[in-house]
């Protein structure tokens, strides 16, 4: 178990060593977002902005306009919803290489309740031209994603959570921006997941195997740009898809996958996600259970989708 | 197979025609006022440093451009561009260290209009200064031109960051100024804001930021014309006392008569000389300045003149639509 956000914080330090253009900004959340590692190592390249996310987004645009590679960090709810206009006009329309880190994504933030449980970022950010989105699944993937996006052209939104989550990848697991990875083989259906739901998908894979169902698990860490080629291949080869994300069902990963699948190789789909409701206070584990974001929910979705697949 | 489809690179131009112009326009000279020798000198020195009387003459031409391009497009904002004209001319023809032939010149000063809707004055300054041909002004807001209704870095070389949603520009300029400080770069940063725009909360976030980081390489300019689209600023949402507000936020406030070129130049010189905090030039202006029937009338904020109104305006400005549009199209 390890925090995804620590992968982000550690990667920033390594990036700072490699490239003097890397600048890190934060809105009064240094330790929560773990940019304090960078602040300690490179104080001259660290900018505390205070509680002013809209300003931070545009200051980042200004820094990028004159050659810096700014990473800005705050909670996902503020990085996406609160400064969406700034992201859209100053950053994305201009196509500046601003890297936006939305920490504390998803309902697993826990006791703070609905205001701090960001579950809309994928749909908001995905609808803005030029923006890319990466939702890594664990410590190592967050580390690699952070390293990878630093030198991709254009703006990127990186989403990660608060809690310790199981480490399902290793230092050497391949990570390519914009490409999904098959984490478990399978032929009856494909489970496409991002973020912490990759772990739940792997557990679902085991449970389904116990029932004689062969489920392929795809870690689709980059909801945009979408790995269409891999998704279409999975639809062809397995004939059914379940998506799993710690996010609103509206316009999220599932929606992105569905858009590609219906246009290219329609197959039955099911969506494990938060179904159009706000979160609430509670322990992270309680909330994941209550909002239907567990392996058992993926298993149930898999059985539903397989019934429809067989009925065709 | 592993190569991801990436977003367009920064600076990509939607129109191939313009891209080729950008590289080929090295020899472009505005025959109205800039000689090639002057352009060459400016290219070497960065700044043109025109005196007040010559700037005033140029400002008159800018006003002619604004009315002409608006008459042609029949869409766009009139009042704000005319109130900005004088200090904007001082910026582009005296104050800014820029190389229009090389918009991304590493040593350039940075200019940004947070009030993106004043594109008629922005594009006119850019064209007159040599960023692109004057004839492009006649395709303002047109589908086959690059002069978008609001500034687009995506379409127009020289526009560094897109604008059009009010309140964001000063934050962008804070980022540029902070970056320059971090690098020990001598670049100066100029941000033009509106007075109505002061109602946006983000303005004050960025005002705090600039003072906190002592960004004395940053100069804000407020086009204080007291009008916004729905009426008088004081009636819509009062912002007074603006000078005290900015002073209390830690800025060096420099009031100036925004249509008095000598006063504008003096204000910029004071801002340039000031150390330890950001400067704000509070330019007292008149919306629609230069055209009698537009002056001080908020109804000219967001509409273009009809052709007969444009003719009246251009007559006051000493030309006619036929004469001035011909001059623009010829270059």
């Amino acid at each position: 178990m390890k925090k995804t956000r620590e992968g982000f914080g550690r990667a920033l330090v390594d990036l700072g060593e490699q490239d003097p253009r890397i600048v890190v900004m934060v809105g009064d959340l240094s330790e929560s977002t773990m940019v304090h590692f960078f602040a300690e190592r490179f104080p001259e390249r660290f900018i505390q902005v205070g509680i002013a996310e809209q300003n931070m987004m545009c200051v980042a645009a200004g820094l990028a306009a004159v050659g810096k590679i700014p990473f800005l960090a705050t909670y996902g709810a503020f990085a996406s919803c609160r400064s969406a206009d700034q992201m859209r006009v100053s950053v994305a329309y201009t196509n500046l290489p601003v890297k936006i880190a939305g920490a504390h994504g998803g309902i697993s933030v826990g006791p703070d309740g609905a205001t701090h449980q960001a579950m809309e970022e994928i749909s908001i950010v995905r609808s803005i031209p030029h923006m890319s989105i990466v939702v890594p699944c664990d410590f190592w993937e967050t580390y690699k994603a952070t390293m990878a996006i630093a030198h991709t052209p254009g703006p990127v939104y990186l989403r990660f959570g608060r809690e310790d989550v199981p480490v399902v990848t290793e230092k050497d697991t391949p990570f390519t921006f914009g490409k999904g990875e098959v984490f478990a083989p399978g032929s009856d259906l494909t489970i496409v997941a991002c973020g912490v739901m990759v772990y739940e998908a792997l557990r679902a894979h085991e449970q389904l195997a116990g029932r004689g169902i062969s489920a392929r698990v795809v870690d689709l860490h980059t909801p945009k740009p979408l790995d269409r080629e891999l998704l279409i291949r999975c639809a062809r080869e397995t004939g059914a898809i379940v998506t799993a994300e710690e996010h609103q069902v509206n316009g999220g990963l599932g929606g992105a996958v569905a858009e590609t699948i219906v246009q290219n190789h329609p197959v039955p789909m099911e969506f494990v996600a938060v179904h159009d409701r706000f979160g609430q206070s509670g322990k992270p584990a309680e909330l994941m259970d209550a909002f239907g974001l567990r392996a058992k929910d993926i298993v149930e979705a898999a059985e539903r989708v397989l019934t429809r697949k067989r009925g065709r | 197979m592993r190569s991801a489809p990436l977003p367009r690179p920064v600076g990509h131009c939607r129109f191939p025609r313009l891209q080729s112009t950008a590289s080929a326009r090295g020899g472009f000279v505005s025959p109205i006022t800039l000689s090639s020798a002057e352009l060459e000198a400016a290219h070497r020195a960065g700044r043109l440093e025109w005196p007040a009387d010559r700037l005033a003459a140029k400002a008159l031409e800018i006003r002619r451009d604004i009315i002409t391009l608006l008459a042609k497009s029949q869409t766009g904002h009139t009042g704000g561009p005319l109130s900005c004209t004088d200090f904007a001319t001082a910026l582009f023809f005296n104050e800014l260290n820029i190389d229009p032939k090389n918009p991304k010149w590493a040593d350039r000063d940075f200019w940004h209009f947070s009030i993106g809707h004043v594109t008629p004055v922005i594009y006119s300054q850019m064209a007159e200064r040599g960023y692109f041909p004057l004839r492009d002004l006649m395709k303002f807001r047109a589908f086959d031109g690059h002069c978008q209704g609001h500034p687009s870095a995506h379409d127009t070389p020289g526009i560094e960051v897109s604008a059009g949603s009010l309140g964001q520009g000063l934050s962008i300029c804070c980022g540029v100024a902070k970056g320059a400080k971090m690098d020990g770069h001598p670049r100066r940063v100029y941000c033009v804001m509106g007075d109505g725009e002061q109602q946006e909360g983000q303005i004050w976030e960025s005002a705090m930021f600039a003072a906190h980081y002592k960004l004395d390489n940053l100069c804000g300019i407020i086009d204080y014309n007291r009008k916004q689209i729905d009426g008088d600023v004081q009636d819509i949402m009062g912002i007074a006392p603006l000078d005290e507000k900015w002073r209390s936020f830690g800025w060096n406030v420099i009031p100036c008569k925004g249509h008095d070129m000598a006063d504008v130049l003096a204000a910029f010189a004071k801002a340039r000389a000031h150390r330890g905090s950001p400067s704000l030039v509070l330019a007292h202006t008149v919306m629609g300045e230069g055209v009698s029937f537009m002056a001080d009338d908020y109804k000219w904020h967001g509409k273009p003149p009809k052709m007969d109104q444009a003719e009246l305006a251009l007559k006051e400005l000493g030309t006619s639509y036929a004469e001035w549009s011909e001059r623009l199209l010829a270059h």
Side-chain angles (χ1 to χ4, degrees):
Chain A
M1 300 280 278
K2 211 166 180 180
K3 291 175 173 57
T4 47
R5 55 192 165 126
E6 189 176 343
F8 170 67
R10 297 287 178 198
L12 287 183
V13 175
D14 290 349
L15 281 169
E17 301 280 1
Q18 292 172 8
D19 192 333
R21 294 173 298 169
I22 302 286
V23 175
V24 175
M25 314 170 68
V26 77
D28 195 35
L29 291 167
S30 297
E31 289 197 27
S32 302
T33 58
M34 296 211 169
V35 298
H36 61 299
F37 299 127
F38 186 93
E40 287 155 15
R41 178 73 185 77
F42 304 103
E44 74 288 355
R45 281 194 267 151
F46 175 75
I47 305 174
Q48 173 63 261
V49 180
I51 307 164
E53 294 80 13
Q54 300 169 21
N55 184 47
M56 178 160 65
M57 187 69 73
C58 293
V59 170
L63 287 161
V66 287
K68 302 287 185 196
I69 302 174
F71 277 77
L72 69 86
T74 180
Y75 289 168
F78 314 137
S80 61
C81 296
R82 186 175 202 124
S83 36
D85 183 35
Q86 287 73 10
M87 184 194 303
R88 174 175 175 264
V89 175
S90 291
V91 173
Y93 187 25
T94 310
N95 204 4
L96 291 164
V98 173
K99 315 303 172 184
I100 302 157
H104 288 40
I107 198 156
S108 60
V109 171
D112 278 341
T115 56
H116 286 55
Q117 292 160 345
M119 296 195 286
E120 299 81 14
E121 312 102 299
I122 298 175
S123 57
I124 290 170
V125 179
R126 192 165 77 86
S127 64
I128 300 176
H130 296 164
M131 291 297 308
S132 301
I133 313 168
V134 183
V135 187
C137 67
D138 66 2
F139 170 86
W140 278 117
E141 199 167 272
T142 311
Y143 176 89
K144 282 177 272 190
T146 308
M147 299 301 285
I149 64 172
H151 297 106
T152 55
V156 185
Y157 187 95
L158 177 70
R159 188 227 210 193
F160 47 86
R162 175 181 186 277
E163 292 298 292
D164 280 9
V165 295
V167 180
V168 300
T169 66
E170 295 170 350
K171 196 176 180 181
D172 300 333
T173 307
F175 176 92
T176 307
F177 175 77
K179 293 289 166 188
E181 290 292 337
V182 178
F183 274 7
S187 53
D188 293 333
L189 80 153
T190 303
I191 305 169
V192 179
C194 65
V196 67
M197 295 306 288
V198 171
Y199 168 71
E200 299 292 339
L202 289 168
R203 281 183 50 212
H205 165 84
E206 289 170 0
Q207 292 173 20
L208 287 164
R211 300 178 196 192
I213 297 169
S214 167
R216 181 181 299 183
V217 175
V218 169
D219 169 28
L220 202 75
H221 46 65
T222 310
K224 188 185 174 188
L226 201 64
D227 189 349
R228 296 160 59 92
E229 193 182 317
L230 173 63
L231 290 170
I232 295 163
R233 182 155 59 82
C234 289
R236 271 207 192 94
E237 290 171 1
T238 67
I241 292 177
V242 171
T243 61
E245 59 194 309
E246 195 190 354
H247 185 274
Q248 298 289 355
V249 71
N250 312 308
L253 174 75
V257 173
E259 287 162 14
T260 283
I261 293 304
V262 294
Q263 282 186 312
N264 293 279
H265 191 87
V267 297
M269 280 190 71
E270 286 283 327
F271 307 92
V272 174
V274 175
H275 285 265
D276 202 24
R277 57 188 280 216
F278 281 104
Q280 64 178 79
S281 287
K283 291 182 183 134
E286 285 174 343
L287 292 166
M288 293 294 277
D289 290 339
F291 280 75
L293 299 172
R294 286 300 197 190
K296 76 167 179 54
D297 303 297
I298 299 175
V299 168
E300 286 167 14
E303 286 174 341
R304 285 197 303 274
V305 85
L306 285 175
T307 304
R308 283 163 52 206
K309 176 183 168 185
R310 288 179 196 119
R312 278 153 81 92
Chain B
M1 173 180 169
R2 286 266 154 180
S3 64
L6 293 172
R8 290 172 169 188
V10 178
H12 180 89
C13 230
R14 189 183 296 164
F15 292 95
R17 179 184 63 80
L18 231 194
Q19 270 194 323
S20 57
T21 319
S23 53
R25 68 167 179 251
F28 171 73
V29 175
S30 158
I32 298 178
T33 43
L34 278 176
S35 70
S36 56
E38 273 182 315
L39 269 179
E40 283 308 310
H43 182 54
R44 281 194 303 276
R47 290 176 65 185
L48 284 167
E49 299 189 325
W50 280 16
D53 56 343
R54 199 169 173 196
L55 289 172
K58 174 52 78 180
L60 175 64
E61 294 184 337
I62 298 283
R63 286 196 165 89
R64 293 172 180 171
D65 289 357
I66 290 169
I67 298 296
T68 303
L69 71 89
L70 283 165
K72 173 70 165 61
S73 66
Q74 284 300 305
T75 164
H77 297 68
T78 306
L82 291 174
S83 60
C84 290
T85 296
D86 297 302
F87 66 74
T89 306
L91 254 190
F92 277 81
F93 287 84
N94 182 292
E95 193 65 13
L96 285 171
N97 209 31
I98 47 174
D99 180 2
K101 283 189 268 182
N102 179 15
K104 294 280 181 189
W105 177 39
D107 285 338
R108 71 193 183 279
D109 285 341
F110 189 95
W111 57 269
H112 182 78
F113 283 69
S114 188
I115 36 175
H117 57 271
V118 300
T119 34
V121 72
I122 302 172
Y123 294 147
S124 170
Q125 299 288 357
M126 291 179 79
E128 296 278 358
R129 192 66 175 77
Y131 281 92
F132 50 78
L134 287 167
R135 61 179 167 273
D136 292 7
L137 297 178
M138 296 300 270
K139 289 189 174 179
F140 175 58
R141 288 185 171 225
F143 186 69
D144 58 347
H146 65 86
C147 292
Q148 296 287 302
H150 290 77
S152 165
H154 196 62
D155 294 274
T156 309
I159 299 289
E160 305 229 23
V161 181
S162 303
S165 181
L166 294 172
Q168 301 185 17
L170 188 60
S171 298
I172 291 162
C173 291
C174 282
V176 175
K178 178 68 177 156
K181 288 272 180 196
M182 292 164 97
D183 291 343
H185 191 287
R187 147 180 312 128
R188 285 187 59 77
V189 183
Y190 295 84
C191 182
V192 178
M193 294 173 275
D195 48 2
E197 186 182 17
Q198 305 300 304
Q199 293 156 359
E200 288 280 4
Q202 191 184 346
I203 291 278
W204 305 98
E205 295 182 2
S206 52
M208 266 185 271
F209 182 96
H212 181 85
Y213 286 108
K214 300 183 171 55
L215 301 179
D216 54 13
N217 51 350
L218 173 63
C219 178
I221 303 150
I222 293 180
D223 179 27
Y224 202 175
N225 61 28
R226 307 173 316 282
K227 308 285 173 192
Q228 60 189 108
I229 199 162
D230 268 2
D232 282 13
V233 173
Q234 62 182 11
D235 299 334
I236 304 300
M237 180 52 61
I239 54 169
L242 207 45
D243 49 352
E244 286 178 32
K245 283 194 174 82
W246 282 89
R247 241 175 246 124
S248 73
F249 272 70
W251 284 57
N252 170 43
V253 176
I254 308 165
C256 86
K257 288 178 265 183
H259 300 307
D260 178 333
M261 202 56 88
D263 208 42
V264 169
L265 288 178
F268 282 140
K270 279 182 205 163
R272 187 179 281 278
H274 180 76
R275 295 287 175 272
S277 61
S279 289
L280 181 83
V281 172
L282 198 52
H284 290 269
T285 59
V286 175
M287 177 169 277
E289 170 73 8
V291 179
S292 60
F293 61 90
M294 293 177 175
D296 212 27
D297 182 355
Y298 76 87
K299 292 198 173 113
W300 284 102
H301 174 101
K303 70 171 181 186
K306 296 196 166 48
M307 194 52 87
D308 56 332
Q309 295 170 316
E311 286 291 13
L312 281 175
L314 288 167
K315 195 172 177 190
E316 286 188 21
L317 297 169
T319 185
S320 67
Y321 181 81
E323 181 188 38
W324 207 255
S325 58
E326 191 183 329
R327 293 185 80 162
L328 293 182
L329 287 168
H331 305 296

